[in-house]
């Protein structure tokens, strides 16, 4: 083989190698992009059609899905999946109208859940709050009642086009301190004040079913969240959703 032939062969091999590298890089980028679009995380839930109805959830661990084997097993993701909704769920363990807040209403910080759901600009907003505030009763009763009103009025003002659905605060034991009903009454009154839809009886949804609780004894397991999703589905159908 002449030197010229060797040079041509080397150039050809180099060209083929370069093409292979470029094709490999394109495939890798495509795979990452598809993985990112199709993946799910606790905040966003399962990927959905970009033109789907956007639904945000402002809630605590019972909406975050603590105790479930996977975020897809929580009631919010089940309900969203059934309806083809695009889910945004920044719910937080231990969150209440006054408990575990990153800021104090009405001085909301950017990382407060109220600020996050407003920034998402949803078509539908669920408010599933109040359980954890029982642990601050009766000492912070006035603060809790005021925060409920402030949060709901703020959400209505900042999301005037959104359909707001306020859910009766969840509860986790068959025993119910007096504070449970007191906070329920405040949440229901707050929902009425802003003209929101209201779903009653949610504090009883897992009552009498210890087999629906996770090993921590505090949160639902997959079966419990499935039962909650079934009850939520029925309530939403009653609202025409």
């Amino acid at each position: 083989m002449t030197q010229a032939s060797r040079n041509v062969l080397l150039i050809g091999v180099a060209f083929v190698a370069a093409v292979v590298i470029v094709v490999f890089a394109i495939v890798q980028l495509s795979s990452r992009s598809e993985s990112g679009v199709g993946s799910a995380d606790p905040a966003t839930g399962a990927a959905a059609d970009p033109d789907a109805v956007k639904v945000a959830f402002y809630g605590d661990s019972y909406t975050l899905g603590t105790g479930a084997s996977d975020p897809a097993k929580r009631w919010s993701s089940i309900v969203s999946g059934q309806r083809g909704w695009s889910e945004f769920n920044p719910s937080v363990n231990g969150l209440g109208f006054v408990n575990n807040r990153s800021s104090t209403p009405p001085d909301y910080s950017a990382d407060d859940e109220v600020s996050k759901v407003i920034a998402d600009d949803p078509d539908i907003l669920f408010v599933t709050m109040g359980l954890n505030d029982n642990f601050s009763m009766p000492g912070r009763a006035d603060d809790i009642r005021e925060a409920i009103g402030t949060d709901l009025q703020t959400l209505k003002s900042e999301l005037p086009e959104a359909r707001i659905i306020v859910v009766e605060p969840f509860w986790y034991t068959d025993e119910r301190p007096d504070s449970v009903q007191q906070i329920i009454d405040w949440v229901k009154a707050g929902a009425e004040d802003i003209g929101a839809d209201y779903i009653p009886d949610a504090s009883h949804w897992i009552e009498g079913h210890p087999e629906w609780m996770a090993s921590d004894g505090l949160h639902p397991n997959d079966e419990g969240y499935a039962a909650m999703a079934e009850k939520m589905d029925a309530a939403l159908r009653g609202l025409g959703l």
Side-chain angles (χ1 to χ4, degrees):
M1 181 180 293
T2 65
Q3 184 62 43
S5 297
R6 290 193 187 95
N7 290 341
V8 170
L9 179 60
L10 290 173
I11 292 171
V13 170
F15 176 79
V16 171
V19 170
V20 170
I21 290 171
V22 170
V23 170
F24 178 77
I26 291 172
V27 170
Q28 287 295 99
L29 286 173
S30 177
S31 296
R32 290 181 188 138
S33 176
E34 289 172 1
S35 175
V37 171
S39 62
D41 65 49
T44 59
D49 184 334
D51 296 324
V53 173
K54 294 175 61 178
V55 182
F57 295 84
Y58 172 35
D60 52 37
S61 59
Y62 271 54
T63 300
L64 178 64
T66 302
S69 62
D70 185 272
K73 300 289 189 178
R74 62 191 176 188
W75 70 263
S76 63
S77 294
I78 295 172
V79 167
S80 295
Q82 290 171 339
R83 289 163 170 75
W85 289 344
S86 177
E87 176 188 7
F88 176 64
N89 188 343
S91 300
V92 172
N93 285 320
L95 188 66
F97 287 104
V98 301
N99 284 36
N100 201 30
R101 293 293 290 268
S102 64
S103 59
T104 303
D107 299 318
Y108 298 103
S109 64
D111 61 347
D112 191 283
E113 279 57 46
V114 167
S115 300
K116 290 179 179 179
V117 296
I118 289 172
D120 187 61
D121 192 24
D123 301 303
I124 301 172
L125 171 63
F126 283 80
V127 178
T128 57
M129 294 278 287
L131 185 158
N132 291 295
D133 295 298
N134 285 277
F135 307 120
S136 293
M137 288 285 283
R140 300 194 65 188
D142 291 343
D143 293 338
I144 294 167
R145 185 174 188 175
E146 182 176 354
I148 291 169
T150 301
D151 275 3
L152 294 178
Q153 291 289 345
T154 299
L155 292 168
K156 178 64 175 179
S157 175
E158 295 297 321
L159 298 171
E161 302 301 319
R163 183 169 183 175
I164 299 177
I165 301 171
V166 179
V167 180
E168 178 179 290
F170 299 126
W171 188 243
Y172 70 107
T173 64
D174 293 351
E175 296 76 26
R176 298 164 63 90
D178 293 342
S179 59
V180 172
Q181 188 59 50
Q182 182 65 83
I183 293 174
I184 287 172
D185 291 343
W186 292 339
V187 169
K188 182 178 181 181
E192 291 173 349
D193 286 345
I194 65 167
D197 293 307
Y198 182 76
I199 294 178
D201 302 323
S203 66
H204 296 284
W205 282 359
I206 59 172
E207 190 174 82
H209 288 278
E211 75 279 10
W212 289 354
M213 299 300 287
S215 58
D216 65 6
L218 301 173
H219 299 95
N221 55 23
D222 290 350
E223 188 178 1
Y225 281 118
M228 292 175 69
E230 183 177 347
K231 293 178 183 297
M232 186 67 75
D233 176 67
L236 293 176
R237 288 179 184 277
L239 295 175
L241 291 170

